[in-house]
Amino acid sequence: MFSVTKEKVKPIISVTIEAEEALRPILNNFKEPILFLKKEDQLFAYVQINNSLIEKLEQNDYSRDFLIQHAHSIESICFLTEHISLPILFQIIGGPFAIITGEDGRPSGYLLREDVLAELFIQGNKSVDLLRILLSSIPMGIFVIDKEKKIINCNEAGLKMIKSSTDKVLNFPGESIFSGEHIQNVFANGKTILNHLEFKNGMGVLVDYSPIRSLDDQVEGIIIVVQDLPMVEEMALEIEYIKDLNNDLNAILSSIYDEILVVSAKGELLRFSENIIQDFWQIDLKELIGKNILELEDQGLFTPSVTRQVIEKKKKVSVVQETRTGRKILAVGNPIFNEENQLERIIIASRDITETTRLKTELQEARKISEQYKKELDDFRSKDAFIKKLIYCSPKMEKIMNQVQKIADFSSTVLLNGESGVGKEVIAQAIHQLGKRSQQPFLKLNCGAIPESLLESELFGYAKGSFTGADKNGKDGYFKQADGGILFLDEIGEMPMHLQVKLLRVLQEQEVIPVGSTTPIKVNVQIIAATNKNLAKMVGEGSFREDLFYRLNVIPIRIPPLRERIEDISLLAFHFLQQLNEKYERNYHLTPDAVNVLEFYSWPGNVRELQNIIERLVVSSDHSAIDAEFVSQFLSMGYELKKMRPVVTRVMPLQDAIDYVEEQLIVMAMNQYKTTTKAAKALGISQSSVSRKYQKIQNEKNLKVENLSSY
C-alpha cells in the first residue's frame, strides 16, 4: 500500500457552464494547473491551464465555448482515496492527475502525477521500488540501452524471452544480443523501429527499438521492447520450411519432363513450371498469368480443353489435345478440393506425344508385319515338319505329293481313290496342313461306320425337338462344325442315295439344312472324299449318283497300293520299327534278308498291314535282330506265291525287266526252299548260278540297308 500526504492534495476549483459570470475574474491570478467544469452540479470535464491557453482565452474574450473546446472528459481520470494500491498507482501514472474522494465519496481534491512519482521515489526505500515493480509487471521484455550503447537495465520477462541472465546481459554491448544495425540507426536518426523479427537462442521474438530523448530532443538512449509471441517461432520455422519446400518443389518441377500448370477454379492461370511445350501456346505464358485459359480453346488454339472438363466433371480427366499445327498433346487435369469439398485448384500436366504417337503407330505396323511374318514362318515350319513326317521315296508318291502341294492352295473338291490302307487320310491331312485352311478345323467322318439312320443328323445337324431322344438345344452337324475348314468324307461310296442328294446341294449351294428345320445355313467347307471302290462303275450300276460323282471328281487322286511302290516298303518298315523302339525302349533291327522278304510280299492290306506286321514282329521276337526266317512265319507266303506272278510296274529296257524278274524268282525260291540246291532244282538252273546270283542280290540289299540306316 502507498499513501500520499494531505499537503500534496490540491483543491478542486470549478466553474459551472450554465452560469453567466465571466471567466476573467476567475482566471485572473489562477495559480492551479487544472480547472474543472461542472454541469448540473457534477464534474464532467477539465482544462489544463497554461500561459498559452490563457493568452488564447484573452484573444477570444474569455469565451466559455472556447474553453469547452479545449476541455477533456473526466471519464478517463481515476478516483481514489488517500491510500493507493499498486494497480491504482499504475493507473495514475497513465493519466495527468487523479481525483481524491472523501469518506462521503465526493471529490475533495486532486493529485498530480508528478507529485505521486516524486513521493514514490522519496518512499522508495521504505515501501516499494516502483521502477522494479514496473519493469517486472510488464509482460513484455524491456531492455534499456544508455548513450554508450550498453544494456543498463532489463526485466525478468525479457531475460526469459532471450533465454539469458543478468550477468550475461547487464553492461554488455546491446549489439551482442540485438541488432547492432538497428541500434545504430535509432541513435543516428532518432526514429522508432517496430516489429523486427529476430531469433535469440533458438527462439523467435518481435523487437521494437524506441529512442529515449532528453529535454533538448537529443537521443540519450534506447528502450528495446521484446514481445514473446508463442507462435512466432513456429511460424518462422514453418515459413523457413515452406521456403525450403518451395525451393524443393521448384527443383522437382524443373526436372519433370511434363509441363505443369496451376489453374484456379475459374480457369485462370496462376503459375507454370519451367518446362514449356514449344510451339504450343504461341505466346509467352507470363502474359497469360491471371487470364482465363478457357478462352484459348474458343480461339481454336487447341481442342478439347482439359480445364473445362475438370470444372464440369469435378474429377480427374485425361484428354489428347490437337493444336492448329497438328501436334498432339496428352493433358491430365487433377482437381484439388478445399475442406468444404469445393473445387479450388486444377493441376494440369501436359506432354507432347506427337513423336510418341508416330513411333507408336510405326511400332504397331512393325509388330503387325512381324506377327504376319512369324505366322507365315510358323506355317512354313508346320508344313515342313508335316512333310518330313510323310515317309516315301517312290516316284509315284513323289508325283502325288507334288500334286497335293499344288492343290492345297485351292478349295476345290478332291476325290481320293485307292485300296484300303494305302494312306488316303494321310493325303487328306497333307492337303489341310499345306493349304490356307491349316488353322481351321479338319473333321473326318467314315460314311460306312455310322448307321444310315444317324448319318444324316451327324452330317447336317438337327434343330431342337426334331425327333425323340434329340438334344433339347439341337446340334450342329459336321458341315457346320467344319465351317471354314475341311471335311474328310471317307468311304463315300457307302453313302445312301437319299443323302447323296443333300450332299450334292451342299456342294452346289454351299449351305445346309438341319434335320427338322427349313432354314438353310451358309457354310464354307472344302470337301475331300475318299473311297476304295470304283465310283464310275457304281454310277453305271445305278448305286451312285452321276451328278454327285462329277461334283466330287474335280481333283481326282489315285493312291497306288504298296505293291506298286516297292521302294517305300523298306523305308516304311524302318520308320515303324523306330517308332516302336522309342515307344518301348527297345533296339530291334531288321536284317537284310528280312527286308527282302518284306519287299517281295504283295501287302494286300497295304501300309496298314505293314505297320501291323512290324509291331507283331517286335512283340514276338526273342532277339533284337529280326531275320528273314522269323519274318516268313508271319506272312502267308505259300498263298501269296500261288497268286503272285512276277510284276513289272513300269516300262523299262527288256534286259532290266529280265534281271528284275530273275531277282524276284531267286529271292522267292530261297525264301521258300532255304537252300541253293533245292532252289536251283525248282528254278531249273545250276546250283552255282543260284548261289552266285543270290550272293549278288544280298550284297546290293546290304548296301541299301546301310544307306537307309544312316538317315
Side-chain angles (χ1 to χ4, degrees), residues 362-401:
E362 292 180 358
L363 180 61
Q364 289 176 343
E365 291 295 328
R367 283 179 176 173
K368 189 182 297 183
I369 294 173
S370 177
E371 289 175 0
Q372 181 179 350
Y373 288 159
K374 183 177 180 299
K375 182 178 179 299
E376 292 177 358
L377 181 60
D378 290 342
D379 289 343
F380 287 140
R381 286 175 176 172
S382 176
K383 292 175 181 179
D384 185 59
F386 183 81
I387 290 176
K388 289 181 179 179
K389 290 180 181 179
L390 298 176
I391 309 301
Y392 64 92
C393 66
S394 62
K396 289 187 177 181
M397 286 304 299
E398 186 73 33
K399 181 178 178 181
I400 289 174
M401 290 309 302

Short mmCIF file of all heavy atoms in Angstrom, two decimals, residues 362-401:
data_model
loop_
_atom_site.label_atom_id
_atom_site.label_comp_id
_atom_site.label_asym_id
_atom_site.label_seq_id
_atom_site.Cartn_x
_atom_site.Cartn_y
_atom_site.Cartn_z
N GLU A 362 4.15 -46.51 -85.91
CA GLU A 362 5.14 -47.28 -86.65
C GLU A 362 5.43 -48.61 -85.97
O GLU A 362 5.61 -49.63 -86.63
CB GLU A 362 6.43 -46.46 -86.79
CG GLU A 362 6.28 -45.23 -87.68
CD GLU A 362 7.58 -44.45 -87.79
OE1 GLU A 362 8.57 -44.86 -87.13
OE2 GLU A 362 7.62 -43.44 -88.51
N LEU A 363 5.48 -48.58 -84.62
CA LEU A 363 5.73 -49.81 -83.87
C LEU A 363 4.60 -50.81 -84.07
O LEU A 363 4.84 -52.01 -84.24
CB LEU A 363 5.91 -49.49 -82.39
CG LEU A 363 6.17 -50.69 -81.46
CD1 LEU A 363 7.45 -51.39 -81.87
CD2 LEU A 363 6.24 -50.24 -80.01
N GLN A 364 3.36 -50.31 -84.05
CA GLN A 364 2.22 -51.19 -84.28
C GLN A 364 2.27 -51.81 -85.67
O GLN A 364 1.98 -53.00 -85.83
CB GLN A 364 0.91 -50.42 -84.07
CG GLN A 364 0.64 -50.06 -82.61
CD GLN A 364 -0.60 -49.22 -82.46
OE1 GLN A 364 -1.11 -48.63 -83.41
NE2 GLN A 364 -1.10 -49.13 -81.23
N GLU A 365 2.64 -50.98 -86.65
CA GLU A 365 2.75 -51.51 -88.00
C GLU A 365 3.86 -52.56 -88.08
O GLU A 365 3.70 -53.60 -88.72
CB GLU A 365 3.04 -50.36 -88.99
CG GLU A 365 1.88 -49.40 -89.19
CD GLU A 365 0.68 -50.08 -89.84
OE1 GLU A 365 0.89 -51.00 -90.65
OE2 GLU A 365 -0.46 -49.69 -89.54
N ALA A 366 4.99 -52.23 -87.41
CA ALA A 366 6.10 -53.18 -87.41
C ALA A 366 5.72 -54.48 -86.72
O ALA A 366 6.07 -55.58 -87.17
CB ALA A 366 7.33 -52.56 -86.74
N ARG A 367 4.97 -54.35 -85.61
CA ARG A 367 4.52 -55.55 -84.90
C ARG A 367 3.57 -56.36 -85.75
O ARG A 367 3.62 -57.60 -85.77
CB ARG A 367 3.85 -55.15 -83.59
CG ARG A 367 4.82 -54.75 -82.48
CD ARG A 367 4.08 -54.36 -81.23
NE ARG A 367 4.99 -54.06 -80.13
CZ ARG A 367 4.61 -53.57 -78.97
NH1 ARG A 367 3.33 -53.31 -78.75
NH2 ARG A 367 5.50 -53.32 -78.02
N LYS A 368 2.69 -55.65 -86.46
CA LYS A 368 1.73 -56.34 -87.32
C LYS A 368 2.45 -57.12 -88.42
O LYS A 368 2.14 -58.29 -88.69
CB LYS A 368 0.77 -55.32 -87.93
CG LYS A 368 -0.40 -55.93 -88.66
CD LYS A 368 -1.29 -54.86 -89.27
CE LYS A 368 -1.92 -53.99 -88.20
NZ LYS A 368 -2.85 -52.99 -88.78
N ILE A 369 3.46 -56.44 -89.01
CA ILE A 369 4.23 -57.11 -90.06
C ILE A 369 5.02 -58.27 -89.48
O ILE A 369 5.09 -59.36 -90.06
CB ILE A 369 5.18 -56.11 -90.74
CG1 ILE A 369 4.36 -55.05 -91.50
CG2 ILE A 369 6.13 -56.82 -91.70
CD1 ILE A 369 5.20 -53.92 -92.07
N SER A 370 5.60 -58.03 -88.25
CA SER A 370 6.37 -59.08 -87.60
C SER A 370 5.49 -60.29 -87.28
O SER A 370 5.90 -61.44 -87.48
CB SER A 370 7.00 -58.53 -86.31
OG SER A 370 7.69 -59.54 -85.62
N GLU A 371 4.28 -60.02 -86.77
CA GLU A 371 3.36 -61.11 -86.47
C GLU A 371 2.97 -61.86 -87.73
O GLU A 371 2.81 -63.09 -87.72
CB GLU A 371 2.12 -60.55 -85.76
CG GLU A 371 2.39 -60.08 -84.34
CD GLU A 371 1.18 -59.43 -83.71
OE1 GLU A 371 0.13 -59.36 -84.41
OE2 GLU A 371 1.26 -59.00 -82.55
N GLN A 372 2.80 -61.09 -88.81
CA GLN A 372 2.44 -61.73 -90.08
C GLN A 372 3.59 -62.63 -90.55
O GLN A 372 3.36 -63.78 -90.97
CB GLN A 372 2.14 -60.67 -91.13
CG GLN A 372 1.72 -61.26 -92.48
CD GLN A 372 1.39 -60.17 -93.49
OE1 GLN A 372 1.29 -58.99 -93.13
NE2 GLN A 372 1.26 -60.54 -94.73
N TYR A 373 4.83 -62.07 -90.46
CA TYR A 373 5.99 -62.88 -90.85
C TYR A 373 6.12 -64.11 -89.96
O TYR A 373 6.44 -65.21 -90.43
CB TYR A 373 7.27 -62.05 -90.77
CG TYR A 373 7.40 -61.01 -91.86
CD1 TYR A 373 8.23 -59.91 -91.71
CD2 TYR A 373 6.69 -61.14 -93.05
CE1 TYR A 373 8.35 -58.96 -92.71
CE2 TYR A 373 6.80 -60.20 -94.06
CZ TYR A 373 7.64 -59.11 -93.89
OH TYR A 373 7.75 -58.18 -94.88
N LYS A 374 5.89 -63.91 -88.65
CA LYS A 374 6.00 -65.02 -87.70
C LYS A 374 4.97 -66.10 -88.03
O LYS A 374 5.27 -67.30 -87.99
CB LYS A 374 5.80 -64.52 -86.27
CG LYS A 374 5.96 -65.60 -85.21
CD LYS A 374 5.81 -65.00 -83.83
CE LYS A 374 5.98 -66.07 -82.75
NZ LYS A 374 5.00 -67.14 -82.84
N LYS A 375 3.74 -65.62 -88.35
CA LYS A 375 2.69 -66.58 -88.69
C LYS A 375 3.05 -67.36 -89.95
O LYS A 375 2.90 -68.59 -90.02
CB LYS A 375 1.36 -65.85 -88.89
CG LYS A 375 0.18 -66.75 -89.21
CD LYS A 375 -1.09 -65.95 -89.33
CE LYS A 375 -2.28 -66.85 -89.66
NZ LYS A 375 -2.12 -67.55 -90.92
N GLU A 376 3.56 -66.62 -90.95
CA GLU A 376 3.95 -67.29 -92.18
C GLU A 376 5.10 -68.25 -91.93
O GLU A 376 5.13 -69.37 -92.48
CB GLU A 376 4.36 -66.25 -93.23
CG GLU A 376 3.19 -65.40 -93.72
CD GLU A 376 3.63 -64.34 -94.71
OE1 GLU A 376 4.85 -64.26 -94.97
OE2 GLU A 376 2.77 -63.60 -95.22
N LEU A 377 6.06 -67.82 -91.09
CA LEU A 377 7.19 -68.70 -90.78
C LEU A 377 6.72 -69.94 -90.03
O LEU A 377 7.17 -71.06 -90.32
CB LEU A 377 8.22 -67.93 -89.94
CG LEU A 377 9.49 -68.71 -89.55
CD1 LEU A 377 10.23 -69.17 -90.79
CD2 LEU A 377 10.39 -67.85 -88.67
N ASP A 378 5.79 -69.73 -89.08
CA ASP A 378 5.24 -70.89 -88.35
C ASP A 378 4.51 -71.83 -89.29
O ASP A 378 4.59 -73.07 -89.14
CB ASP A 378 4.30 -70.42 -87.24
CG ASP A 378 5.03 -69.73 -86.10
OD1 ASP A 378 6.26 -69.91 -86.00
OD2 ASP A 378 4.38 -68.98 -85.34
N ASP A 379 3.78 -71.23 -90.24
CA ASP A 379 3.08 -72.07 -91.22
C ASP A 379 4.07 -72.88 -92.05
O ASP A 379 3.87 -74.08 -92.30
CB ASP A 379 2.21 -71.20 -92.14
CG ASP A 379 1.01 -70.63 -91.41
OD1 ASP A 379 0.68 -71.14 -90.33
OD2 ASP A 379 0.41 -69.66 -91.92
N PHE A 380 5.16 -72.18 -92.48
CA PHE A 380 6.18 -72.88 -93.27
C PHE A 380 6.81 -74.00 -92.45
O PHE A 380 7.04 -75.11 -92.95
CB PHE A 380 7.26 -71.91 -93.74
CG PHE A 380 6.81 -71.00 -94.85
CD1 PHE A 380 7.17 -69.67 -94.87
CD2 PHE A 380 6.01 -71.49 -95.88
CE1 PHE A 380 6.75 -68.84 -95.89
CE2 PHE A 380 5.59 -70.66 -96.90
CZ PHE A 380 5.96 -69.33 -96.91
N ARG A 381 7.11 -73.69 -91.18
CA ARG A 381 7.71 -74.70 -90.32
C ARG A 381 6.76 -75.86 -90.10
O ARG A 381 7.17 -77.03 -90.11
CB ARG A 381 8.09 -74.08 -88.97
CG ARG A 381 9.31 -73.17 -89.04
CD ARG A 381 9.56 -72.51 -87.69
NE ARG A 381 10.77 -71.71 -87.72
CZ ARG A 381 11.15 -70.91 -86.73
NH1 ARG A 381 10.39 -70.82 -85.63
NH2 ARG A 381 12.26 -70.21 -86.82
N SER A 382 5.48 -75.51 -89.88
CA SER A 382 4.48 -76.56 -89.66
C SER A 382 4.34 -77.44 -90.90
O SER A 382 4.30 -78.67 -90.81
CB SER A 382 3.14 -75.93 -89.29
OG SER A 382 2.14 -76.91 -89.16
N LYS A 383 4.29 -76.77 -92.06
CA LYS A 383 4.17 -77.53 -93.30
C LYS A 383 5.40 -78.38 -93.54
O LYS A 383 5.32 -79.55 -93.94
CB LYS A 383 3.95 -76.58 -94.47
CG LYS A 383 2.60 -75.87 -94.43
CD LYS A 383 2.48 -74.85 -95.55
CE LYS A 383 1.14 -74.11 -95.49
NZ LYS A 383 1.01 -73.10 -96.54
N ASP A 384 6.58 -77.78 -93.27
CA ASP A 384 7.82 -78.51 -93.49
C ASP A 384 7.91 -79.70 -92.54
O ASP A 384 8.33 -80.80 -92.94
CB ASP A 384 9.01 -77.57 -93.26
CG ASP A 384 10.33 -78.22 -93.59
OD1 ASP A 384 10.52 -78.65 -94.73
OD2 ASP A 384 11.18 -78.32 -92.67
N ALA A 385 7.50 -79.48 -91.26
CA ALA A 385 7.53 -80.58 -90.29
C ALA A 385 6.56 -81.68 -90.70
O ALA A 385 6.86 -82.87 -90.54
CB ALA A 385 7.18 -80.05 -88.90
N PHE A 386 5.41 -81.28 -91.22
CA PHE A 386 4.43 -82.30 -91.63
C PHE A 386 4.94 -83.09 -92.83
O PHE A 386 4.78 -84.32 -92.88
CB PHE A 386 3.10 -81.62 -91.97
CG PHE A 386 2.01 -82.59 -92.33
CD1 PHE A 386 1.30 -83.24 -91.34
CD2 PHE A 386 1.72 -82.87 -93.66
CE1 PHE A 386 0.31 -84.15 -91.67
CE2 PHE A 386 0.73 -83.77 -94.00
CZ PHE A 386 0.02 -84.41 -93.00
N ILE A 387 5.56 -82.39 -93.78
CA ILE A 387 6.08 -83.08 -94.97
C ILE A 387 7.15 -84.08 -94.58
O ILE A 387 7.23 -85.19 -95.13
CB ILE A 387 6.64 -82.04 -95.98
CG1 ILE A 387 5.47 -81.23 -96.58
CG2 ILE A 387 7.42 -82.73 -97.08
CD1 ILE A 387 5.91 -80.13 -97.50
N LYS A 388 7.97 -83.68 -93.57
CA LYS A 388 9.04 -84.59 -93.14
C LYS A 388 8.47 -85.84 -92.49
O LYS A 388 9.14 -86.87 -92.44
CB LYS A 388 9.97 -83.87 -92.17
CG LYS A 388 10.85 -82.82 -92.86
CD LYS A 388 11.78 -82.14 -91.86
CE LYS A 388 12.67 -81.12 -92.56
NZ LYS A 388 13.57 -80.42 -91.61
N LYS A 389 7.25 -85.73 -91.95
CA LYS A 389 6.63 -86.90 -91.32
C LYS A 389 6.11 -87.89 -92.36
O LYS A 389 5.83 -89.05 -92.03
CB LYS A 389 5.48 -86.46 -90.41
CG LYS A 389 5.93 -85.73 -89.16
CD LYS A 389 4.74 -85.33 -88.30
CE LYS A 389 5.17 -84.57 -87.06
NZ LYS A 389 4.00 -84.16 -86.24
N LEU A 390 5.91 -87.41 -93.58
CA LEU A 390 5.44 -88.30 -94.64
C LEU A 390 6.60 -89.15 -95.14
O LEU A 390 7.63 -88.64 -95.56
CB LEU A 390 4.85 -87.48 -95.79
CG LEU A 390 3.63 -86.61 -95.43
CD1 LEU A 390 3.21 -85.78 -96.63
CD2 LEU A 390 2.48 -87.49 -94.97
N ILE A 391 6.42 -90.47 -95.07
CA ILE A 391 7.51 -91.40 -95.40
C ILE A 391 7.27 -91.98 -96.80
O ILE A 391 6.31 -92.72 -97.01
CB ILE A 391 7.58 -92.54 -94.37
CG1 ILE A 391 7.63 -91.98 -92.95
CG2 ILE A 391 8.78 -93.44 -94.64
CD1 ILE A 391 8.80 -91.06 -92.69
N TYR A 392 8.12 -91.60 -97.72
CA TYR A 392 8.03 -92.14 -99.08
C TYR A 392 9.32 -91.80 -99.82
O TYR A 392 10.05 -90.86 -99.47
CB TYR A 392 6.83 -91.56 -99.84
CG TYR A 392 6.92 -90.07 -100.08
CD1 TYR A 392 7.50 -89.56 -101.24
CD2 TYR A 392 6.43 -89.17 -99.14
CE1 TYR A 392 7.60 -88.20 -101.45
CE2 TYR A 392 6.52 -87.81 -99.34
CZ TYR A 392 7.10 -87.32 -100.50
OH TYR A 392 7.20 -85.98 -100.71
N CYS A 393 9.61 -92.58 -100.88
CA CYS A 393 10.75 -92.28 -101.76
C CYS A 393 10.48 -92.73 -103.20
O CYS A 393 11.30 -92.54 -104.08
CB CYS A 393 12.03 -92.91 -101.24
SG CYS A 393 12.02 -94.72 -101.25
N SER A 394 9.33 -93.35 -103.39
CA SER A 394 9.00 -93.86 -104.73
C SER A 394 8.60 -92.71 -105.65
O SER A 394 8.05 -91.70 -105.20
CB SER A 394 7.86 -94.87 -104.64
OG SER A 394 6.69 -94.25 -104.13
N PRO A 395 8.87 -92.83 -106.93
CA PRO A 395 8.48 -91.79 -107.89
C PRO A 395 6.97 -91.54 -107.92
O PRO A 395 6.54 -90.40 -108.10
CB PRO A 395 8.97 -92.35 -109.23
CG PRO A 395 10.06 -93.30 -108.87
CD PRO A 395 9.66 -93.91 -107.57
N LYS A 396 6.18 -92.61 -107.74
CA LYS A 396 4.73 -92.43 -107.78
C LYS A 396 4.25 -91.54 -106.62
O LYS A 396 3.42 -90.64 -106.83
CB LYS A 396 4.03 -93.79 -107.73
CG LYS A 396 4.19 -94.61 -109.00
CD LYS A 396 3.34 -95.87 -108.95
CE LYS A 396 3.45 -96.65 -110.27
NZ LYS A 396 2.61 -97.86 -110.26
N MET A 397 4.76 -91.78 -105.42
CA MET A 397 4.34 -90.95 -104.28
C MET A 397 4.91 -89.54 -104.38
O MET A 397 4.28 -88.57 -103.94
CB MET A 397 4.79 -91.60 -102.96
CG MET A 397 3.97 -92.81 -102.56
SD MET A 397 2.19 -92.45 -102.43
CE MET A 397 2.17 -91.22 -101.15
N GLU A 398 6.09 -89.42 -104.97
CA GLU A 398 6.68 -88.09 -105.18
C GLU A 398 5.78 -87.27 -106.10
O GLU A 398 5.54 -86.07 -105.86
CB GLU A 398 8.07 -88.25 -105.81
CG GLU A 398 8.84 -86.95 -105.95
CD GLU A 398 9.33 -86.43 -104.61
OE1 GLU A 398 9.65 -87.25 -103.72
OE2 GLU A 398 9.36 -85.20 -104.45
N LYS A 399 5.24 -87.91 -107.12
CA LYS A 399 4.35 -87.23 -108.05
C LYS A 399 3.06 -86.81 -107.35
O LYS A 399 2.54 -85.71 -107.55
CB LYS A 399 4.05 -88.16 -109.23
CG LYS A 399 3.15 -87.54 -110.28
CD LYS A 399 2.94 -88.51 -111.43
CE LYS A 399 2.01 -87.92 -112.47
NZ LYS A 399 1.77 -88.86 -113.60
N ILE A 400 2.53 -87.73 -106.51
CA ILE A 400 1.28 -87.41 -105.79
C ILE A 400 1.49 -86.23 -104.84
O ILE A 400 0.65 -85.33 -104.76
CB ILE A 400 0.79 -88.66 -105.03
CG1 ILE A 400 0.27 -89.71 -106.03
CG2 ILE A 400 -0.31 -88.30 -104.04
CD1 ILE A 400 -0.10 -91.02 -105.39
N MET A 401 2.61 -86.19 -104.09
CA MET A 401 2.86 -85.11 -103.15
C MET A 401 3.07 -83.77 -103.85
O MET A 401 2.67 -82.72 -103.34
CB MET A 401 4.06 -85.44 -102.27
CG MET A 401 3.81 -86.57 -101.27
SD MET A 401 2.30 -86.34 -100.28
CE MET A 401 2.63 -84.76 -99.51
#
